[in-house]
Amino acid sequence: MNRVVLIKYGELTTKKGNRKFFVNTLYANIKNKLKGLNVKIHKDISRMYIEFSDEELDEVLKRINNIFGIHEYVVAYIVDSDVETIKENVLRVMKDLSFKTFKVETKRSDKRFPIHSLDFSRQLGGLILKNIPDIKVDVRNPEVLLNVEIREYHTYIYTNHYEGLGGYPNGTLGNAMLMLSGGIDSPVSAYLTLKRGVKLNCIYFEAIPHTSIEARNKVITLTKKLSKYTDFIKLHIVPFTEIQEAIYREVEDDYCITIMRRMMYRITERVAKMNNCMIIANGESIGQVASQTLTSMAVINEVTNMPVIRPVACLDKLEIIDIAKKIDTYETSILPFEDCCTVFVPKHPVINPKLNLCVEYENRFDYQSMIDEAIENINTMIIRDEKDTTFEDLL
Ligand code: ATP
Ligand code: MG
């Protein structure tokens, strides 16, 4: 008996006008992720079917697990849509399992099939009871739920189902520039943004020698971990030392972080535009630190008109950590290498910064030409899940 992986789209089906585009993008993404494996993929309006060779099933499932836009998937036996063939194979499938209780659910999308769904479920149930000893039907909480989906040519028989990642297929909703630090929050924001079907570029500000190569490596590792949810991620590494030193030379201590973040936003906006990104995303979370009070966020955000999304803005740290562990970024994020935000933290960063003071302090130095120079000297890496990228590629 042949098997296929049957993929259900879930949330996509609510996008009426765009459905074809969503399905086609998902199809391309799945094809891309399964590259190198011996598979054949077919699609129709509500399902995708992947033919595979048995020894590669685990690998196929592992890769499908990281694809957004898949609501649920199952491994199904595929047989001809003929009453006797279905009965015979249902029995074979059930005889291979060990269980005490079961339930049959039939779905007949091909209305030409001669038996109604409920009647057919009853017939199959009776057949199973007659042929397998010591079992009974339990409609509420069965150990085995046998699904029989009857379609025009083929019928799918399965007893398992796996939850997919959900969300929208990567690339269906444009591009964002994500500010990626080595912390816990921004990789989680990256994951949540990717989940909405948005492709990512990442931008990282470093202040060598105040920050280390290890800190950069950490960001590369995080980007690599995130790239398994998409095809590749462009990581832009911005040399921020000169700007940061100027800030600490010219600006009052309590405003250093505020001004530093305004500079980061200015650069991020420009790099976003250069890379076709419509929005900025970051890991800010309301109230987490002085620069993330509502007043600070407003004063910092004032330098750009580009929409800024903050997927973890309203999550507690513990909720963010839960997601970080689930997506396997937590252990990397907690490695103790200093980021440029933490190197020069003032004793009392301002909690309610004033815009006019920011402007006054910024006018003390020619930040515009420093920004131009930083952008000119950006290092961009393309990071894929499969490629073993390290910082040496940059040297
Ligand atoms: P933590 O998880 O410890 O809070 P963090 O990365 O969130 O670390 P914050 O100081 O809270 O650090 O910074 C808020 C957000 O600003 C980050 O989530 C990130 O999006 C952005 N950011 C901070 N530092 C950098 C940096 N060096 N490069 C790029 N983005 C940064
Ligand atoms: Mg944070």
Side-chain angles (χ1 to χ4, degrees):
M1 229 187 319
N2 281 333
R3 290 186 298 173
V4 289
V5 178
L6 196 155
I7 288 179
K8 308 183 182 184
Y9 311 146
E11 204 180 344
L12 297 195
T13 54
T14 59
K15 302 277 151 220
K16 278 216 178 80
N18 279 335
R19 181 147 159 184
K20 215 165 160 193
F21 170 61
F22 276 67
V23 170
N24 287 343
T25 308
L26 180 61
Y27 176 76
N29 292 352
I30 292 178
K31 216 166 145 190
N32 186 31
K33 281 290 171 195
L34 298 184
K35 225 177 347 196
L37 299 178
N38 183 18
V39 292
K40 267 199 201 134
I41 312 168
H42 313 276
K43 64 172 163 26
D44 65 30
I45 201 69
S46 58
R47 297 270 196 277
M48 245 172 251
Y49 310 88
I50 303 173
E51 291 175 33
F52 57 89
S53 32
D54 280 349
E55 67 280 4
E56 288 183 340
L57 177 61
D58 287 347
E59 184 60 26
V60 169
L61 296 183
K62 195 174 131 206
R63 296 193 196 180
I64 281 176
N65 247 327
N66 295 329
I67 301 176
F68 286 119
I70 297 175
H71 177 70
E72 190 186 309
Y73 56 97
V74 304
V75 183
Y77 290 96
I78 171 169
V79 301
D80 288 343
S81 289
D82 153 78
V83 175
E84 286 315 311
T85 313
I86 297 173
K87 285 185 173 171
E88 186 185 310
N89 284 294
V90 155
L91 216 46
R92 272 173 69 187
V93 170
M94 294 301 270
K95 276 184 172 166
D96 271 354
L97 301 171
S98 96
F99 61 95
K100 289 272 171 261
T101 59
F102 76 103
K103 176 187 174 182
V104 183
E105 249 175 38
T106 304
K107 213 158 132 204
R108 187 182 58 137
S109 13
D110 180 15
K111 300 297 176 210
R112 284 168 307 177
F113 188 77
I115 310 171
H116 285 272
S117 299
L118 273 178
D119 292 340
F120 199 47
S121 288
R122 248 178 251 131
Q123 286 186 22
L124 292 173
L127 184 73
I128 294 166
L129 284 170
K130 210 166 90 192
N131 284 277
I132 304 178
D134 302 328
I135 55 166
K136 58 179 194 231
V137 172
D138 179 347
V139 288
R140 282 212 192 87
N141 194 19
E143 258 175 82
V144 171
L145 174 62
L146 171 73
N147 290 276
V148 180
E149 283 190 28
I150 303 161
R151 296 186 162 246
E152 189 176 350
Y153 300 109
H154 293 122
T155 290
Y156 301 88
I157 302 169
Y158 56 90
T159 55
N160 55 54
H161 76 97
Y162 307 96
E163 220 175 280
L165 275 190
Y168 296 132
N170 190 245
T172 47
L173 281 135
N175 304 316
M177 181 62 70
L178 178 108
M179 301 168 72
L180 184 66
S181 65
I184 297 167
D185 305 327
S186 45
V188 171
S189 286
Y191 174 81
L192 294 174
T193 309
L194 284 165
K195 184 170 184 180
R196 293 291 93 197
V198 176
K199 278 200 174 193
L200 287 187
N201 274 242
C202 291
I203 185 164
Y204 166 61
F205 297 86
E206 69 176 4
I208 287 176
H210 311 296
T211 62
S212 60
I213 290 291
E214 283 84 358
R216 179 202 285 179
N217 242 349
K218 190 173 145 178
V219 172
I220 293 172
T221 305
L222 289 170
T223 312
K224 200 166 165 221
K225 284 179 184 262
L226 292 165
S227 69
K228 72 169 179 254
Y229 302 103
T230 174
D231 42 1
F232 63 87
I233 295 180
K234 263 193 196 174
L235 172 65
H236 309 275
I237 301 177
V238 184
F240 202 54
T241 314
E242 208 195 327
I243 295 173
Q244 201 156 18
E245 286 175 353
I247 293 171
Y248 284 89
R249 215 171 33 240
E250 308 291 349
V251 173
E252 306 306 311
D253 262 12
D254 52 344
Y255 270 69
C256 280
I257 297 274
T258 315
I259 305 291
M260 183 186 81
R261 300 195 61 76
R262 281 165 61 90
M263 297 299 167
M264 283 185 177
Y265 269 56
R266 288 183 170 107
I267 294 174
T268 302
E269 182 196 62
R270 277 183 50 188
V271 181
K273 285 183 178 156
M274 288 157 61
N275 287 278
N276 277 328
C277 298
M278 283 181 282
I279 60 165
I280 294 170
N282 67 34
E284 289 171 350
S285 182
I286 297 170
Q288 198 180 82
V289 287
S291 62
Q292 290 162 34
T293 61
L294 294 186
T295 327
S296 284
M297 282 161 103
V299 165
I300 291 164
N301 208 150
E302 189 268 342
V303 300
T304 177
N305 285 323
M306 203 176 248
V308 179
I309 61 155
R310 301 171 174 86
V312 303
C314 301
L315 299 188
D316 288 343
K317 195 75 186 187
L318 287 179
E319 293 172 316
I320 300 173
I321 288 175
D322 270 355
I323 302 175
K325 286 184 175 163
K326 200 181 97 199
I327 63 171
D328 187 36
T329 54
Y330 182 73
E331 293 302 325
T332 308
S333 290
I334 59 173
L335 294 172
F337 304 119
E338 293 213 276
D339 175 53
C340 68
C341 272
T342 45
V343 172
F344 304 93
V345 183
K347 273 208 192 76
H348 301 290
V350 59
I351 290 173
N352 289 308
K354 305 272 179 295
L355 182 58
N356 61 331
L357 281 181
C358 291
V359 174
E360 185 188 320
Y361 296 153
E362 285 172 354
N363 284 336
R364 291 179 183 172
F365 62 106
D366 180 14
Y367 66 83
Q368 208 51 60
S369 63
M370 289 180 180
I371 285 181
D372 290 344
E373 201 187 324
I375 291 176
E376 239 165 66
N377 289 302
I378 283 179
N379 258 315
T380 297
M381 306 171 75
I382 293 188
I383 297 187
R384 291 174 202 279
D385 186 26
E386 67 260 28
K387 188 169 167 266
D388 217 12
T389 334
T390 63
F391 69 93
E392 272 132 29
D393 299 14
L394 276 175
L395 300 177

